[in-house]
Amino acid sequence: MELHNVWFVLIAVLWIGYFFLEGFDFGIGVLTKLLARDRAEKRVLINTIGPVWDGNEVWLLTAGGATFAAFPEWYATLFSGFYLPLLVILICLIIRGVAFEYRAKRPEENWQRNWETAIFWTSLLPAFLWGVAFGNIVRGVKIDADFEYVGSVWDLLNPYALLGGLVTLTLFTFHGTVFAALKTVGEIRERARRLALRVGLVTAVLALVFLLWTQADGGDGTSLVALVVAVAALVVALLANQAGREGWAFALSGVTIVAAVTMLFLTLFPNVMPSTLDADWSLTVTNASSSPYTLKIMTWLALIATPVVLLYQGWTYWVFRKRIGTQHIADPVH
């Protein structure tokens, strides 16, 4: 396999890892309004991701950096054409990180409520906008002969991309709900399981329509297999949730994300950004990639650094693996 193909696969893996990990992260943020009934329960939900949320975002930084180094043409066209939605996502991630750290710094109710509202919206908006962005990447955008995006921001708000946004929003919320059921005890755990059923059913309908649309537009046999795996995993995740097997439900909701994102990249290849103006103007793994020497150096660096990062992040999840409940929340001391 040629190195530009290898790096296309590696970038796909990085995005899959990011959506798997940040997916339940965003879902928990959304649940601070949908599931938590009081301030103690909000603290429980936030504490389930407190030790890991910033580590999850490393996958995004790595995916962006790898794209910049391995496919500079793709990076340039993507970040210039999608400047506004990506800027909104960046601002949300900055505010979200500050909200996690500053929420408990003062005892005033208004102070904490405002930061909790910030956590909700800065989780919901990126969860939606990532789906819109990837929907446009797969569908194709207006790219001219110079590989520059010549459309407007309104061109990105097409039905397919908006449906993709709803899919990622509901799927991440479902992923977060089963994670909440896995990581909590008591009444909040039971309510999380009940909410997971309702959110999961909506997710299943939206995801099925979106993935079938994707398959009809540009899928093949391998993408069809990924579609079947995604839908089957989501259905079995719902059954596992109803049976009280939260671990299986969370793992299978993760499989749904992995299979769905895999299907998008399978449909995209060998393009990295198709042009809707002329197929010959599309960015591909060949015309958008760096030199073979650059890719070779990157490959060696990845082989050295990746195992260390995976081991460290896996250790973090192992250390903070226990369930928590409102009885574990100490009274705030200021």
Side-chain angles (χ1 to χ4, degrees), residues 205-222:
V205 173
L206 293 175
L208 182 60
V209 173
F210 178 73
L211 294 179
L212 286 175
W213 190 345
T214 304
Q215 179 67 24
D217 270 357
D220 56 16
T222 55

Side-chain angles (χ1 to χ4, degrees), residues 139-151 155 273-282:
R139 171 183 173 270
V141 291
K142 295 179 179 179
I143 299 175
D144 64 13
D146 296 321
F147 301 137
E148 294 181 359
Y149 178 70
V150 293
D155 293 322
M273 283 190 75
S275 172
T276 57
L277 300 178
D278 190 322
D280 292 335
W281 298 343
S282 297

Side-chain angles (χ1 to χ4, degrees), residues 38-308:
D38 54 34
R39 183 137 289 119
E41 290 190 350
K42 289 181 180 180
R43 289 181 64 190
V44 168
L45 289 175
I46 292 171
N47 284 359
T48 62
I49 60 173
V52 298
W53 68 267
D54 48 355
N56 295 343
E57 292 184 357
V58 170
W59 289 76
L60 172 61
L61 298 175
T62 309
T67 304
F68 172 77
F71 298 99
E73 287 282 358
W74 184 12
Y75 181 93
T77 304
L78 175 64
F79 279 75
S80 60
F82 293 17
Y83 181 82
L84 183 58
L86 292 178
L87 178 63
V88 172
I89 291 173
L90 177 60
I91 292 172
C92 284
L93 294 180
I94 293 171
I95 295 175
R96 187 168 180 265
V98 173
F100 283 135
E101 299 298 331
Y102 275 71
R103 176 193 168 275
K105 296 300 183 183
R106 291 173 56 178
E108 292 88 348
E109 183 175 345
N110 283 342
W111 172 273
Q112 295 189 2
R113 185 171 58 247
N114 289 338
W115 285 120
E116 289 162 1
T117 300
I119 290 172
F120 170 77
W121 285 109
T122 56
S123 299
L124 185 149
L125 287 174
F128 175 74
L129 290 175
W130 279 128
V132 174
F134 269 81
N136 279 292
I137 291 173
V138 174
R139 171 183 173 270
V141 291
K142 295 179 179 179
I143 299 175
D144 64 13
D146 296 321
F147 301 137
E148 294 181 359
Y149 178 70
V150 293
S152 69
V153 68
W154 303 111
D155 293 322
L156 304 178
L157 303 179
N158 55 80
Y160 177 79
L162 292 175
L163 178 59
L166 292 176
V167 170
T168 52
L169 174 58
T170 54
L171 182 54
F172 292 170
T173 303
F174 174 69
H175 197 40
T177 308
V178 294
F179 180 77
L182 176 65
K183 289 287 292 181
T184 59
V185 295
E187 184 184 353
I188 191 171
R189 174 188 176 190
E190 298 302 319
R191 279 190 278 115
R193 285 174 52 196
R194 292 195 295 270
L195 180 60
L197 175 62
R198 298 196 294 271
V199 175
L201 291 174
V202 174
T203 303
V205 173
L206 293 175
L208 182 60
V209 173
F210 178 73
L211 294 179
L212 286 175
W213 190 345
T214 304
Q215 179 67 24
D217 270 357
D220 56 16
T222 55
S223 62
L224 180 60
V225 171
L227 185 156
V228 172
V229 171
V231 174
L234 182 55
V235 171
V236 180
L238 286 169
L239 296 175
N241 174 73
Q242 287 302 100
R245 302 299 296 272
E246 291 100 342
W248 281 105
F250 176 71
L252 288 165
S253 69
V255 171
T256 301
I257 293 174
V258 171
V261 180
T262 298
M263 179 189 175
L264 295 183
F265 276 95
L266 287 172
T267 305
L268 185 60
F269 185 81
N271 294 319
V272 293
M273 283 190 75
S275 172
T276 57
L277 300 178
D278 190 322
D280 292 335
W281 298 343
S282 297
L283 288 168
T284 68
V285 292
T286 304
N287 63 26
S289 70
S290 294
S291 68
Y293 181 74
T294 300
L295 297 178
K296 183 177 180 180
I297 296 298
M298 290 175 60
T299 303
W300 282 109
L301 292 175
L303 289 173
I304 296 170
T306 302
V308 177

